[in-house]
Amino acid sequence: MPRSPHIITCIKQVPGSTEVEIDDNGSLIRNAVAAKMNPFDLFAIETSLRLKEQNGATVTAITMGPPRAELILREAFMMGVDEGVLLTDRRFAGSDVLATAWTISQGILSLAPYDLVICGRQTTDGDTAQVGAEMAEFLGIPHVTNVRAILSSSDESITVEVDLPGAIQVACLHFPCLITVEKDIFQPRLPSFRRKLATRDKQVKVLCLDDLPDTDEKHYGLLGSPTKVQRVYPPRRDVTKEIVHGDPQTLAERLFHELEGRKFLQ
Ligand SMILES: Cc1cc2nc3c(=O)[nH]c(=O)nc-3n(C[C@H](O)[C@H](O)[C@H](O)COP(=O)(O)OP(=O)(O)OC[C@H]3O[C@@H](n4cnc5c(N)ncnc54)[C@H](O)[C@@H]3O)c2cc1C
């Protein structure tokens, strides 16, 4: 009997405030601040739940983070996600994007078979929007980023609309594949109180480094991170001002050229 598609949705816990501190390695001190689910990942969850409603897929949410990241998996359960996996190990600490993408892709491999991996567009803390594409490379599967609509899906493939600068592309990807979804692809549902009660005792699967297919410590955490942070500083504020005089037509033209020159307009 054919099995139902398995969707893995990647979600991350991020600081709930911009009042954050940085340690000597240039890493955020995350334990000191309140945390929440990365808002972009709510769209990834909603996309996976819509597909589940269409074709009976099983949805697993996976997160890499400290033990308290379990909270966002519980939130995912309350939205309708079937299973939750927490990748947590002190040896993952200090991971840059490369080591993060490696660790989560190892977690995904240990959940195989899988058909579709769905990520958010980016996070609100690291903000690189690189993890999805890097994981697809590590997993050796096709991917598209910036998906703004799902046009159709079957047990074997998915057809999506991709938001490119100045163009919309339609792409059909055969499973297994990975997509990252845009904000507003669907309106995320609210966590349900009924599901909160129903999933209160549901177990989260916890995986540490020794549970992954690659157990070489050099590929994880600070050891597996080629990024070296030299300095962390707020961006310089440009406070130069120019006052332009003239009639409305001249002012409008000047403003237009100024915005165009700074690439605010396409
Ligand atoms: C030297 C260095 C040390 C660092 N040390 C730490 C550290 O100790 N702890 C720490 O938390 N961060 C650390 N970071 C930050 C961390 O590398 C990034 O936050 C992480 O790589 C994700 O990148 P991003 O936030 O830009 O994700 P993006 O690429 O913007 O995220 C895109 C999507 O990928 C998925 N995704 C991203 N991260 C995760 C995750 N963790 N779990 C599941 N899905 C995810 C989500 O779907 C997300 O929407 C460090 C960074 C550097 C450079």
Side-chain angles (χ1 to χ4, degrees), residues 9-12 37 41-42 44-46 48-49 52 59-63 69-85 189-192 195-196 199 202 204:
T9 310
C10 300
I11 60 176
K12 184 185 180 192
M37 176 154 8
D41 297 344
L42 293 169
I45 292 182
E46 185 60 37
S48 53
L49 295 177
K52 172 182 165 173
V59 179
T60 303
I62 187 168
T63 190
E70 180 182 336
L71 286 178
I72 60 165
L73 293 170
R74 306 225 76 89
E75 191 180 334
F77 288 157
M78 287 183 238
M79 289 175 74
V81 162
D82 301 299
E83 304 296 335
V85 177
R189 67 197 66 190
L190 292 170
S192 117
R195 281 199 59 85
K196 180 177 181 175
T199 59
K202 193 169 174 59
V204 161

Side-chain angles (χ1 to χ4, degrees), residues 204-221:
V204 161
K205 184 173 181 179
V206 180
L207 297 178
C208 68
L209 196 154
D210 299 322
D211 299 316
L212 301 179
D214 171 20
T215 52
D216 186 342
E217 290 188 17
K218 289 198 290 301
H219 298 155
Y220 297 92

Side-chain angles (χ1 to χ4, degrees), residues 28-43:
L28 291 182
I29 303 174
R30 286 161 202 269
N31 285 339
V33 286
K36 61 175 184 180
M37 176 154 8
N38 175 36
F40 289 96
D41 297 344
L42 293 169
F43 300 95

Side-chain angles (χ1 to χ4, degrees), residues 233-238:
Y233 55 94
R236 206 158 47 92
R237 285 181 63 199
D238 186 354

Side-chain angles (χ1 to χ4, degrees), residues 112-235:
Y114 66 92
D115 300 284
L116 177 63
V117 181
I118 306 184
C119 295
R121 184 178 101 161
Q122 66 193 86
T123 63
T124 51
D125 57 350
D127 207 6
T128 65
Q130 291 175 1
V131 166
E134 288 188 15
M135 286 197 303
E137 286 301 310
F138 285 140
L139 292 166
I141 58 174
H143 77 279
V144 286
T145 59
N146 303 83
V147 168
R148 67 171 212 171
I150 308 289
L151 299 181
S152 65
S153 74
S154 71
D155 286 351
E156 289 168 1
S157 65
I158 187 163
T159 305
V160 297
E161 209 172 72
V162 185
D163 210 355
L164 297 176
I168 303 297
Q169 183 188 44
V170 172
C172 176
L173 291 96
H174 283 265
F175 294 152
C177 63
L178 180 149
I179 60 173
T180 77
V181 297
E182 281 289 333
K183 185 169 92 59
D184 296 337
I185 181 168
F186 293 112
Q187 176 67 33
R189 67 197 66 190
L190 292 170
S192 117
F193 184 66
R194 189 177 54 80
R195 281 199 59 85
K196 180 177 181 175
L197 293 182
T199 59
R200 202 172 32 192
D201 300 324
K202 193 169 174 59
Q203 292 291 309
V204 161
K205 184 173 181 179
V206 180
L207 297 178
C208 68
L209 196 154
D210 299 322
D211 299 316
L212 301 179
D214 171 20
T215 52
D216 186 342
E217 290 188 17
K218 289 198 290 301
H219 298 155
Y220 297 92
L222 264 184
L223 291 177
S225 298
T227 312
K228 300 287 169 260
V229 180
Q230 299 291 329
R231 191 161 67 98
V232 178
Y233 55 94

